[in-house]
Amino acid sequence: MSARTLFEKVWSAHEVVPETPEAPAVLYVDLHLVHEVTSPQAFSVLRERALPVRRPDRTLATMDHSTPTQSDQVFGRAPIRVDAAAQQVRQLERNAAEFGVELFALTDERRGIVHVIGPELGVTQPGATIVCGDSHTSTHGAFGALAFGIGSTEVGHVLATQCLLQRKPKTLAVEVEGALRPGVTAKDLILAIIGRLGVSGGTGHVIEYRGSTIRALSMDERMTVCNMSIEAGARAGMIAPDETTFAYLADRPRAPRGAARDEALARWRALGSDAGARFDARLDLDAAALEPMITYGTNPGMVVPITGAVPGADGDAVHRKALEYMGFHPGEAMIGKPVDVVFIGSCTNGRLEDLEAAARILKGRRVAKGVQLLIVPGSQRVKQQAEASGIADVLRAAGADWRESGCSMCLGMNGDTVARGAYAVSTSNRNFEGRQGVGARTLLASPLTAAAAAVTGRIADPREMI
């Protein structure tokens, strides 16, 4: 057998029917993650056709996108302020009960952002195929899973059949060597990669992140990297599982244990790309040369080192329009630009290590006058860990608004929004026009950079504050 990539091994193990020139492959799905926004239509189709959920034991639902993050609304002391969100929450409760799907409801201590709780529980495992009606399902690829987002129609297909029609993507190796310097994080790394590839450079490919830099990352950091694969246009992002992966999964409540773990480890250790495996494309990056990164435009590929300046449009109408929306001009320094809002959270940077990083900057400092700092943990478990360890105390003492878990200001559909014309430094993943509120201006950055902006009221280099 010829040498195979990690992706090819996982794909072939789940290919029920190979693709042909006329038809996509039929791919088996190991885990289907469901949330309240992209599932109502799918459940309606099942109901209309009198179909059951094919594998409820491989389906797990949570509430995250529309859910409020203010404690009173979460725990019923006040009504959910956004009516559409309240309707979606109630509808998922009804659908889960009717179809026998396990649901982490609004007050469940296991609830959280779908791409945070999967790894926490240990249901995200190497070699699995994982889908969800959310593009950032690529997060789970950090474990060596083939994980990708699907649309509402496809959610219905998986609920009904536990399979999916898919064309086989190509492969792209992103090789990163060297040590990240102090103050440079996994978020800066993936922003730099997107800056090199562009927002369409990964189209039609599954990225495998490789090299000494990637192997040195923690699982939280690996999830940040894989999370934003979609922002480079990729179908998914993957990292070969290793001892770091296995240690993370060792005590997770739904990961294999005992003899089952021994059997799983034998399978997982064989997943890495074979020596000599060929990729369809390759990008090389020197991690030691990277700086903290920040976006300046209206897509994640519009990114520069924090010490850099706003690039010129060079006759590019899209670039010019983006600068007009942001209120920026070519040649302006990024450092020193004023900030109105800082958001730390999301499936990209809402894990415990992200909050620890922010606390390093915020400890002993106060949020600048006139700046709102909103910190939303990625899950209730992360929230509990941060409170038990004292991290939350540091964040609150600095003046942060500390909330319950949820997607929150990442997408602004739950009441957590940025005002028109206001500048928000955000640890989330998208900076499209209106993403965080109508007319909101988003600058993507790491938790370190976001925290530095919160205490200075301006874009600042976090390396000067750690």
Side-chain angles (χ1 to χ4, degrees), residues 89-110:
V89 165
R90 290 193 295 269
Q91 188 60 54
L92 183 55
E93 289 173 338
R94 288 192 291 266
N95 287 336
E98 178 180 347
F99 288 93
V101 171
E102 183 178 13
L103 169 65
F104 296 154
L106 200 56
T107 59
D108 195 306
E109 64 179 9
R110 297 165 297 178

Side-chain angles (χ1 to χ4, degrees), residues 305-355:
I306 201 162
T307 56
V310 178
D314 295 326
D316 184 336
V318 173
H319 192 106
R320 185 169 56 252
K321 181 174 180 289
L323 296 191
E324 289 173 358
Y325 180 85
M326 295 297 293
F328 292 164
H329 301 90
E332 292 178 341
M334 293 301 296
I335 286 181
K337 286 189 172 297
V339 170
D340 303 295
V341 178
V342 172
F343 170 60
I344 297 175
S346 82
C347 61
T348 313
N349 284 125
R351 297 175 183 83
L352 190 64
E353 288 183 10
D354 301 310
L355 303 184

Side-chain angles (χ1 to χ4, degrees), residues 26-363:
V26 177
L27 202 67
Y28 182 75
V29 174
D30 289 313
L31 175 63
H32 186 191
L33 299 168
V34 175
H35 62 83
E36 76 278 12
V37 174
T38 54
S39 64
Q41 307 92 320
F43 282 113
S44 293
V45 170
L46 295 189
R47 195 175 289 111
E48 290 165 5
R49 300 188 179 188
L51 293 171
V53 172
R54 178 71 180 84
R55 292 295 300 270
D57 58 319
R58 292 186 176 270
T59 308
L60 179 64
T62 190
M63 297 176 175
D64 57 2
H65 280 60
S66 292
T67 56
T69 59
Q70 292 180 333
S71 298
D72 283 353
Q73 294 181 55
V74 170
F75 293 105
R77 295 187 293 269
I80 297 176
R81 193 168 66 243
V82 178
D83 185 59
Q87 291 181 37
Q88 288 176 329
V89 165
R90 290 193 295 269
Q91 188 60 54
L92 183 55
E93 289 173 338
R94 288 192 291 266
N95 287 336
E98 178 180 347
F99 288 93
V101 171
E102 183 178 13
L103 169 65
F104 296 154
L106 200 56
T107 59
D108 195 306
E109 64 179 9
R110 297 165 297 178
R111 186 186 63 82
I113 301 174
V114 67
H115 309 311
V116 177
I117 66 167
E120 281 181 349
L121 290 168
V123 295
T124 299
Q125 296 174 17
T129 48
I130 302 173
V131 299
C132 176
D134 182 89
S135 58
H136 292 103
T137 308
S138 56
T139 307
H140 306 264
F143 292 79
L146 175 58
F148 51 87
I150 57 177
S152 292
T153 299
E154 293 173 308
V155 170
H157 293 170
V158 178
L159 288 173
T161 70
Q162 204 59 30
C163 291
L164 197 60
L165 295 174
Q166 285 287 294
R167 289 288 182 185
K168 187 177 182 179
K170 295 180 179 180
T171 53
L172 166 58
V174 173
E175 302 273 356
V176 191
E177 298 291 345
L180 294 170
R181 293 183 291 179
V184 182
T185 72
K187 181 63 166 289
D188 302 307
L189 172 58
I190 188 58
L191 285 173
I193 290 170
I194 296 167
R196 286 278 300 276
L197 286 173
V199 293
S200 60
T203 301
H205 293 76
V206 168
I207 297 174
E208 183 180 334
Y209 300 98
R210 301 158 51 85
S212 61
T213 311
I214 302 301
R215 291 192 296 273
L217 298 177
S218 69
M219 289 312 300
D220 281 9
E221 292 170 323
R222 295 180 190 188
M223 284 186 265
T224 293
V225 170
C226 287
N227 174 272
M228 291 190 70
S229 300
I230 189 67
E231 272 68 52
R235 189 72 179 108
M238 304 177 77
I239 295 172
D242 58 14
E243 296 305 318
T244 300
T245 319
F246 309 149
Y248 179 97
L249 289 170
D251 298 318
R252 302 290 160 175
R254 302 197 185 185
R257 299 193 180 206
R261 175 174 168 83
D262 293 337
E263 294 172 5
L265 286 172
R267 294 193 307 272
W268 296 346
R269 288 195 168 103
L271 286 171
S273 293
D274 297 328
R278 301 186 65 177
F279 293 84
D280 296 298
R282 173 172 170 151
L283 172 70
D284 291 278
L285 208 66
D286 177 9
L290 298 181
E291 295 185 55
M293 306 293 288
I294 193 162
T295 61
Y296 62 86
T298 53
N299 72 57
M302 295 180 176
V303 62
V304 292
I306 201 162
T307 56
V310 178
D314 295 326
D316 184 336
V318 173
H319 192 106
R320 185 169 56 252
K321 181 174 180 289
L323 296 191
E324 289 173 358
Y325 180 85
M326 295 297 293
F328 292 164
H329 301 90
E332 292 178 341
M334 293 301 296
I335 286 181
K337 286 189 172 297
V339 170
D340 303 295
V341 178
V342 172
F343 170 60
I344 297 175
S346 82
C347 61
T348 313
N349 284 125
R351 297 175 183 83
L352 190 64
E353 288 183 10
D354 301 310
L355 303 184
E356 288 172 340
R360 288 167 57 196
I361 298 286
L362 293 170
K363 189 172 184 178

